[in-house]
Amino acid sequence: MSTGDFQFLLFLGTLLFMIGATGVLIRRNPLVIFMSIELMLNSVNLVLVAYGRALNSLAGQVFAFMVIVVAAAEVVVGLAMVTRVFRAEHTLDVDRLDEMKD
Amino acid sequence: MSQGFVTTVVLLVLGFPLIGSLINAAFGSAKRRGLVNIVGTVSIGAAFVVSAVALIVMLTAASSHRAVTVTLWNWYVVGGSLSVAFQATLDQLSIIMLLVVTGVGFLIHVYSVGYMEHDEGVARFFAYMNFFVFSMLFLVLAADLVFLIIGWALVAVSSYFLIGFWYERPSAVAAARKAFITQVIGDVALVIAAFLIVTNVMSPIGTHIYSLSMPTIFHNVASFQYGSSTVTWICLLLAIGAFAKSAQFPLHTWLPDAMEGPTPVSALIHAATMVTAGVYLIARFHPLFDRAPIIQGLVACVGIGTSFMAGIIALSQVDIKRVIAYSTMSQIGLMIYAVGMGAYAAGMYHLVTHAFFKALLFLGAGNVIHAMHDEQDIRVMGGLGKRLKITEKSFLIGSLALSGIPLFAGWFSKENLLGYGVLNGPGHVALLLYIIGVCINVLTGLYAFRLWAIVFKGEPQTARPAAAHEAPRIMLVPVVILAALSAIAGFFLWWPVAFGSVRVQDFTQFLSPVFTSITSGPLAHEPGVASGWIGMLVGTAMSLIGVGGALRLWLRREPDAETVASRIPRFITQLSMHKFYFDELYDAAIVRPLRAVAKWCRKLIEPEIMDGWVEGVGIGVDDLGNTLQPFQSGLIRDYIAYMVFFALLFVIIIVGVVVR
C-alpha cells in the first residue's frame, strides 16, 4: 500500500467521522442519530485497519472486530431504549426529550 | 492521717455541694421549695460535718504528719515531659478554709431559706450557691496550680451568676459583668504566672518533667536566691491575681457594685469566703513570696492603702450594704497587709474572725432590708432597734468585733495583725504602714458605729421604720450563732486547750508547720512579746477613739456629724462620697475609649469590610450560577456539542503544545 493510499484512507476516515458527528449533532430522529453513530464507529474501524495494514500489524484488525462487536451490542441496547422512550413519551424528537434539565 | 482517709474527705467535701447543686439545678423549682431548701442546706451541712471530723482526726495526728497530699486523678501526662494531676492537699491551712467555707456557708444557706422565701428563682439560687461552695472548696483543696486556677475561675463564674441573680435588673447585670471582667484580669495574671513557673521553676533541679504540682513548685523554688528576678515576676503576677479576687487597689471597683446580688450572696461570697481567696493564695504561695521582698512590700503597701481608702469611703456611703462592702474591702486590705509583711498566720486568723463578723453584719443588714421591704438607703431608716431587737443586738456585737473592741473576736485578730507590723519589716516603711494601720482602726470604729447608730438608734426618719417587723426565726438563728462566734471566737482560737488525746493548739502554732516547713524569708519571724504588747495597746486605744467618736457624732449628735463634715476640707469629703473617682477614671480611661473603638468598628469595619466580603462571596457565586445556567439545556445534542468542542480543543492543545 502506497503512502498516497494510506493518506487517502485516513482522510476518508476523518471525513466519515465528521459526517457522523454532524449527523449526531443536527438530526432529531434517534434512529438517524444511531446511524450516524454507526458511521462514526465504522470510520474509526477504517482508520484502525488502515494503520494495521500500514504498520504490518494484526492488532488494528483485531480492534476493528472488537469495535464491530461492541457496536452490535450497542445497537441492541440503543434500539431497545428508543422503543421504550417512544412508548413513554409518544415522540421520537430528541429536542423534546429534555427532562434531564429538571 | 492516711491517704485513704484524706481521699475520702476530699471526695465527700467536694461531692456533697456538687451533688446538691446538680439536684437543685435538675429537679428544683419554686413549687418544690421544701426539697430545694433541704437539699441546698443539708449538702453544705454534710460537708461541714465531714470537715469537722477531718479537723478532729488531724488534731490527733502529730503536727509534722498533718499535711497530706493525695492524687485523685491524672488528667494528662504528655510523654514524660508534662504531667497535670488533680492533687488535693489537706493541711492546716486548707482545713481552716474548709471549715470557714462550709461552716459560715451552712449558716448563710439556712438564712437564705428565709430570705428567699418569696423568690421564684429559689432553685436556681441554691444551685448557684451550692456550686459556689463546691468551687471554693475545690480552690482551697487543689494542690496543683492548674486546678487551683480552675477553682479560681469557677468561683468567679459563680460570683457572676449570683451577682446577676436578679437578671431583670440592668444594674445587677452590669455589676455582674464588671465583677467578672475584673476577675478575669486576675485569672490571666495567674495563668501567666503558671507559664513562668513551668518554664523557670522546673528547670533548675534538672528534671525535665514539668509539673504544676504545688509541693514540687515549693520544693524547687528553694534553690532560687532571695530577691531573684524570676520569683519576683511570678509573685507580681500572683499578687495581681490576689488583688483582683480580693478587691484591692487598683482592681477594687467591682466589690461595691457586687452588692446588687441578694444579701446572703454578699455575706457568703463578697465578705466571708471568695474575696478572701487572695489572702489564701498569698499565704499558700508563701515560699515564693518569701523570696520576693519587693513584691512583699508592694503587697503590704497596697493592702494598707486600699484599707485606708475603703475606710474613708465607707464613712460617707448611704447604702447599708455598700458601707459593709467598703468595710470588707478595708478589712481584707489589712489581711493582705499582714500576708505582705510575712505574717501569714495573723492574716489567716483575721480571715477567720472576719468571716464570722462580716457574715453577721451582712445577714443583719439583710434582716434590716427585709424589714424595710427592700430599702437599702440608711437615710430613711433610724430607730429600728426598737423593732428589730435581736438583729440590733447581733449587729452591735458584729460592729464591736469589727471595730476591735477588747475581748471580741476582731480585737484578737486585728491587734495581732497590726502588732506584727510594728518592729517587723524594713525599718521606717514598716513603721509608717503601722501608723496608717492604727489610723484605720479609728476609721473602722467610726464607720461601723455610724452605721449602727443611724440604722438602729435615733428617731425614725420616715414612717417605714416604725412599721418594720423582726425577721422570721430561720433568719434569726444563723445571725445569733454568728454573733456568738464573733463574740467568743477570739478566745477559742487564742488559747491552747487539751482534752483527752485531742490537742488543740492556738491558731498561730497550729498553722506554723505550713508556714515554716519549707523556707522562710527574713521578714517572716515572730514579733517579740514587747512589740506585740505595744501594738495591742496602741491599736486598742485607737479603736476606742474611733468608736467613741462615732457615738458622739451620730448617736449623741454633739457635735453633729454634718457640722464636723463641713469643717473638713471639701476635697476630702468629695473624694469619699465619689469613692475617690475610680469609677469615673476607669470609665474615661478604659470604658469610653473601648466603646468608641467598638462604635467605629460597628460603623466601618462591620458593614464595609466584614459584610462586604461575606456578601461579595455570595454575590459572586450567584453571578457565576446565572452565567452558567443556560448551558444546562437538557438537550443531549448540546452536551454532545460541548463534548466535541472540548475534545477538539484538547486535541489542538496536545498537537500544538506537546507534540511540537
Side-chain angles (χ1 to χ4, degrees):
Chain A
M1 194 171 73
S2 70
T3 316
D5 291 346
F6 180 59
Q7 281 182 343
F8 170 74
L9 285 173
L10 284 189
F11 180 73
L12 180 64
T14 312
L15 188 68
L16 285 172
F17 190 89
M18 290 184 71
I19 291 168
T22 315
V24 169
L25 285 179
I26 65 170
R27 296 306 294 252
R28 289 204 249 177
N29 190 321
L31 293 172
V32 180
I33 291 173
F34 257 117
M35 285 157 68
S36 305
I37 291 172
E38 291 305 311
L39 198 57
M40 287 160 73
L41 287 168
N42 281 320
S43 72
V44 172
N45 279 348
L46 186 62
V47 172
L48 284 172
V49 172
Y51 267 110
R53 181 66 192 252
L55 300 173
N56 220 356
S57 155
L58 275 177
Q61 294 177 29
V62 170
F63 267 106
F65 278 116
M66 187 79 176
V67 171
I68 289 166
V69 171
V70 172
E74 182 239 317
V75 167
V76 171
V77 177
L79 286 178
M81 276 171 64
V82 169
T83 51
R84 295 303 304 171
V85 168
F86 181 73
R87 279 196 192 165
E89 303 285 329
H90 300 287
T91 175
L92 276 179
D93 184 346
V94 289
D95 283 2
R96 293 168 76 177
L97 302 174
D98 58 356
E99 276 91 39
M100 271 170 74
K101 192 159 66 171
D102 305 324
Chain B
M1 292 190 297
S2 69
Q3 296 260 324
F5 174 72
V6 173
T7 310
T8 318
V9 167
V10 170
L11 288 178
L12 287 178
V13 157
L14 290 179
F16 282 123
L18 183 63
I19 291 170
S21 168
L22 291 176
I23 291 176
N24 272 339
F27 306 111
S29 68
K31 281 180 198 140
R32 295 191 207 143
R33 202 172 280 274
L35 171 89
V36 168
N37 290 339
I38 288 168
V39 170
T41 51
V42 167
S43 58
I44 309 300
F48 174 68
V49 170
V50 173
S51 312
V53 169
L55 174 71
I56 291 167
V57 172
M58 181 183 278
L59 286 171
T60 58
S63 66
S64 55
H65 290 85
R66 284 176 180 171
V68 178
T69 302
V70 292
T71 305
L72 289 157
W73 177 43
N74 273 311
W75 186 17
Y76 57 80
V77 181
V78 181
S81 64
L82 174 71
S83 90
V84 178
F86 178 40
Q87 293 180 314
T89 293
L90 195 65
D91 63 358
Q92 289 90 333
L93 185 56
S94 56
I95 193 91
I96 284 168
M97 292 301 287
L98 285 192
L99 286 166
V100 169
V101 173
T102 55
V104 177
F106 174 65
L107 293 174
I108 293 171
H109 275 71
V110 171
Y111 178 91
S112 308
V113 170
Y115 194 82
M116 303 303 283
E117 199 180 10
H118 304 294
D119 199 290
E120 283 298 301
V122 64
R124 196 161 52 90
F125 179 80
F126 275 107
Y128 288 159
M129 287 285 269
N130 285 4
F131 184 71
F132 166 76
V133 173
F134 162 75
S135 318
M136 188 71 202
L137 297 173
F138 191 93
L139 161 62
V140 298
L141 282 169
D144 190 292
L145 189 51
V146 172
F147 286 87
L148 186 136
I149 291 171
I150 292 173
W152 197 258
L154 283 180
V155 290
V157 85
S158 349
S159 148
Y160 168 79
F161 289 151
L162 284 163
I163 297 169
F165 179 74
W166 286 312
Y167 54 81
E168 63 276 10
R169 286 191 200 162
S171 60
V173 175
R177 217 182 294 149
K178 185 173 179 181
F180 191 70
I181 290 169
T182 314
Q183 308 236 332
V184 164
I185 297 172
D187 294 358
V188 170
L190 268 195
V191 171
I192 297 172
F195 292 160
L196 282 181
I197 286 172
V198 164
T199 51
N200 292 302
V201 180
M202 290 302 131
S203 38
I205 61 160
T207 172
H208 290 293
I209 297 182
Y210 294 118
S211 156
L212 286 162
S213 169
M214 274 143 58
T216 320
I217 295 171
F218 299 155
H219 177 263
N220 288 356
V221 86
S223 63
F224 277 86
Q225 280 181 338
Y226 178 67
S228 121
S229 69
T230 311
V231 178
T232 304
W233 278 107
I234 293 171
C235 286
L236 176 64
L237 289 161
L238 291 173
I240 292 171
F243 291 166
K245 190 66 76 192
S246 292
Q248 297 298 298
F249 172 85
L251 299 170
H252 62 278
T253 55
W254 65 271
L255 186 60
D257 289 15
M259 297 301 122
E260 287 287 341
T263 308
V265 172
S266 311
L268 178 61
I269 302 183
H270 305 120
T273 56
M274 188 190 84
V275 285
T276 57
V279 180
Y280 167 79
L281 183 82
I282 295 176
R284 180 55 92 190
F285 278 85
H286 70 94
L288 276 74
F289 280 90
D290 285 344
R291 293 198 145 58
I294 298 170
I295 304 302
Q296 281 190 313
L298 174 81
V299 168
C301 292
V302 167
I304 210 89
T306 310
S307 183
F308 190 73
M309 180 182 77
I312 289 182
I313 298 173
L315 277 176
S316 69
Q317 296 301 304
V318 292
D319 181 317
I320 183 168
K321 282 179 74 182
R322 279 181 185 251
V323 175
I324 309 177
Y326 278 107
S327 151
T328 306
M329 199 190 282
S330 176
Q331 296 302 309
I332 294 170
L334 288 178
M335 295 174 212
I336 293 276
Y337 157 76
V339 292
M341 296 301 288
Y344 303 108
M348 290 303 295
Y349 188 23
H350 196 51
L351 188 157
V352 174
T353 55
H354 174 258
F356 295 147
F357 61 70
K358 196 50 65 68
L360 163 63
L361 289 178
F362 264 118
L363 297 188
N367 283 352
V368 170
I369 294 166
H370 194 258
M372 293 289 291
H373 300 289
D374 294 333
E375 180 56 69
Q376 301 193 5
D377 193 329
I378 56 175
R379 287 169 299 189
V380 304
M381 297 176 184
L384 278 167
K386 288 185 198 108
R387 290 277 171 174
L388 313 174
K389 283 205 170 63
I390 300 173
T391 304
E392 188 259 337
K393 292 282 176 294
S394 310
F395 206 92
L396 177 62
I397 292 172
S399 302
L400 289 167
L402 169 64
S403 315
I405 297 304
L407 304 184
F408 287 93
W411 179 70
F412 289 94
S413 58
K414 197 155 63 175
E415 304 320 336
N416 181 32
L417 182 157
L418 287 172
Y420 211 100
V422 189
L423 298 174
N424 205 27
H428 301 302
V429 181
L431 191 62
L432 178 69
L433 292 186
Y434 175 73
I435 291 168
I436 301 175
V438 289
C439 294
I440 293 167
N441 272 0
V442 180
L443 290 174
T444 311
L446 279 174
Y447 68 67
F449 278 87
R450 164 181 178 258
L451 189 63
W452 177 76
I454 292 181
V455 172
F456 292 105
K457 295 293 164 186
E459 292 304 311
Q461 299 299 308
T462 54
R464 272 191 285 176
H469 56 90
E470 183 63 295
R473 188 166 295 162
I474 195 155
M475 289 162 71
L476 283 177
V477 171
V479 171
V480 170
I481 294 174
L482 283 169
L485 282 172
S486 304
I488 63 164
F491 298 100
F492 208 57
L493 297 168
W494 194 249
W495 280 327
V497 190
F499 46 95
S501 65
V502 179
R503 292 182 299 279
V504 181
Q505 296 150 306
D506 84 59
F507 194 81
T508 314
Q509 241 178 6
F510 176 69
L511 273 177
S512 61
V514 180
F515 295 128
T516 55
S517 60
I518 302 154
T519 167
S520 36
L523 283 178
H525 53 77
E526 291 289 316
V529 176
S531 66
W533 276 103
I534 295 168
M536 194 193 74
L537 286 175
V538 176
T540 310
M542 296 300 261
S543 301
L544 288 170
I545 290 171
V547 174
L551 293 180
R552 275 197 72 176
L553 285 172
W554 284 288
L555 195 61
R556 293 175 57 198
R557 297 201 166 273
E558 49 185 48
D560 192 73
E562 275 74 35
T563 44
V564 174
S566 61
R567 262 181 255 149
I568 299 171
R570 214 179 109 77
F571 82 95
I572 294 179
T573 49
Q574 285 295 315
L575 272 182
S576 171
M577 278 161 84
H578 291 100
K579 311 162 219 163
F580 284 61
Y581 295 96
F582 270 105
D583 280 329
E584 287 80 358
L585 178 70
Y586 290 166
D587 193 52
I590 298 167
V591 177
R592 270 191 224 155
L594 273 179
R595 210 170 263 168
V597 170
K599 253 186 194 160
W600 179 75
C601 288
R602 177 72 194 83
K603 247 172 122 176
L604 194 74
I605 308 260
E606 177 75 15
E608 301 294 328
I609 297 173
M610 299 308 289
D611 283 1
W613 190 81
V614 172
E615 278 171 21
V617 170
I619 292 169
V621 170
D622 203 43
D623 286 354
L624 190 68
N626 284 336
T627 316
L628 292 179
Q629 192 263 338
F631 286 94
Q632 192 197 7
S633 60
L635 296 176
I636 301 168
R637 182 218 306 277
D638 288 348
Y639 301 158
I640 295 172
Y642 305 147
M643 249 171 73
V644 171
F645 174 74
F646 283 106
L648 274 177
L649 198 67
F650 184 67
V651 169
I652 289 166
I653 289 168
I654 294 287
V655 172
V657 177
V658 182
V659 176
R660 185 170 57 102

